[in-house]
Amino acid sequence: MKNMLKEKLAQGVKPLGTFVGTGSAAVVECLGCAGLDFVILDNEHSPIEAETTAELVRAAERRSITPLARVREISRPAILKLLDVGVQGLIIPDVHSAEDVRRIVSFAKYAPVGQRGFCPSRKDGWGTDMPGSVADVMAHFNRETLVIPQCETAEALADIEHIAAMDGVDGIFIGPFDLSISMEMPGDFSNPVFQAAIDRIIKACRKAGKKCIFFTGTVEGIAAGFARGFDGMAYSLDAAIFIEALRERVEKARQLSK
């Protein structure tokens, strides 16, 4: 497994992705055909679980689009199962403390970084694709697996410098909606206090040498995010993109048919 998203982030390529909540392998393939760099298979806000995630990972691999997954919760099975079916990175929601992050790293990284359980699985062809010894496999997946906690709570924000600098953390994903809600300013993204929080997260990532990824619901927000200094951007979600694109065409067709 070579993590192309990790490579693109290291090269400053400005990767673009989206969330997938439909559970459709065909949609994932289409997103790859459209030229996106990564998908985030959403096990938190959609019905998707590990079995469906495995099918979506296969679809992503067919179209050379990096499969990440947002986990349902901070727990060993929620993290381990997604890694074992082959996701190449984790977005972890509902982080409140450095202790939460220590647990995440423990579940997601093999020794000596963490305590991830070892078992041949889909990720390594059930043992047939292992690149060398068990120690080699552990080192390989520790190196190629992205662990990216979300900063979406006021508690995580308060300790973001510590969290971003922790061993085993590859970057921070900012969830603007839940962060603004936790800061008691729901959806007030223009609020100077909220904007200062975003600047603080970016600064913490830069100081720690980690990547910072942001979510936007608009095309204009993609360019604005990269201009601001985010390393990667997640744009909208598959269902919303489909609805928006089709609605635009339906409205145009109705206008032309008058």
Side-chain angles (χ1 to χ4, degrees):
M1 178 193 79
K2 184 174 180 60
N3 193 323
M4 295 304 298
L5 174 59
K6 181 181 178 182
E7 189 170 297
K8 290 174 182 178
L9 287 168
Q11 294 172 349
V13 174
K14 298 181 179 179
L16 177 62
T18 192
F19 281 89
V20 171
T22 61
S24 168
V27 166
V28 171
E29 285 202 66
C30 290
L31 294 171
C33 291
L36 289 180
D37 300 289
F38 64 94
V39 287
I40 302 173
L41 311 174
D42 197 351
N43 282 239
E44 183 194 20
H45 283 293
S46 85
I48 294 172
E49 298 287 357
E51 285 179 299
T52 301
T53 299
E55 296 301 320
L56 303 182
V57 169
R58 290 187 183 97
E61 290 170 348
R62 283 194 291 269
R63 293 296 177 179
S64 300
I65 181 170
T66 302
L68 310 181
R70 178 157 63 179
V71 305
R72 62 184 297 175
E73 63 188 9
I74 300 173
S75 71
R76 184 177 186 273
I79 288 173
L80 185 59
K81 285 188 176 186
L82 298 185
L83 292 176
D84 278 351
V85 301
V87 302
Q88 296 183 354
L90 299 173
I91 307 295
I92 302 97
D94 201 34
V95 172
H96 290 263
S97 65
E99 179 56 34
D100 284 343
V101 178
R102 275 190 284 272
R103 292 175 60 226
I104 291 162
V105 172
S106 176
F107 299 146
K109 297 284 187 175
Y110 291 117
V113 182
Q115 298 177 351
R116 176 180 171 183
F118 185 90
C119 181
S121 63
R122 189 193 171 275
K123 72 183 186 306
D124 51 37
W126 293 273
T128 63
D129 297 332
M130 293 202 304
S133 67
V134 171
D136 291 335
V137 173
M138 292 165 64
H140 171 81
F141 283 101
N142 276 356
R143 184 172 60 252
E144 295 297 325
T145 300
L146 293 169
V147 174
I148 305 175
Q150 287 190 231
C151 184
E152 60 175 358
T153 67
E155 295 89 347
L157 175 65
D159 203 20
I160 192 61
E161 291 79 12
H162 182 193
I163 289 171
M166 292 177 69
D167 289 341
V169 171
D170 295 285
I172 298 295
F173 185 101
I174 301 175
F177 288 95
D178 282 334
L179 180 58
S180 70
I181 293 167
S182 183
M183 294 174 68
E184 300 183 352
M185 52 186 73
D188 188 6
F189 303 135
S190 62
N191 190 306
V193 176
F194 181 80
Q195 288 300 314
I198 300 302
D199 289 337
R200 179 179 176 181
I201 299 167
I202 295 173
K203 183 179 179 181
C205 288
R206 291 288 172 272
K207 183 177 180 180
K210 306 296 176 65
K211 303 303 180 182
C212 194
I213 302 174
F214 192 70
F215 173 86
T216 181
T218 69
V219 173
E220 294 77 14
I222 296 169
F226 282 130
R228 189 168 186 174
F230 292 112
D231 300 288
M233 293 295 296
Y235 166 62
S236 194
L237 59 152
D238 57 351
I241 291 170
F242 174 76
I243 292 168
E244 182 181 6
L246 188 56
R247 178 181 288 153
E248 177 185 321
R249 284 154 179 77
V250 168
E251 291 175 355
K252 183 176 181 180
R254 296 197 189 285
Q255 288 296 323
L256 291 174
S257 301
K258 286 183 177 179

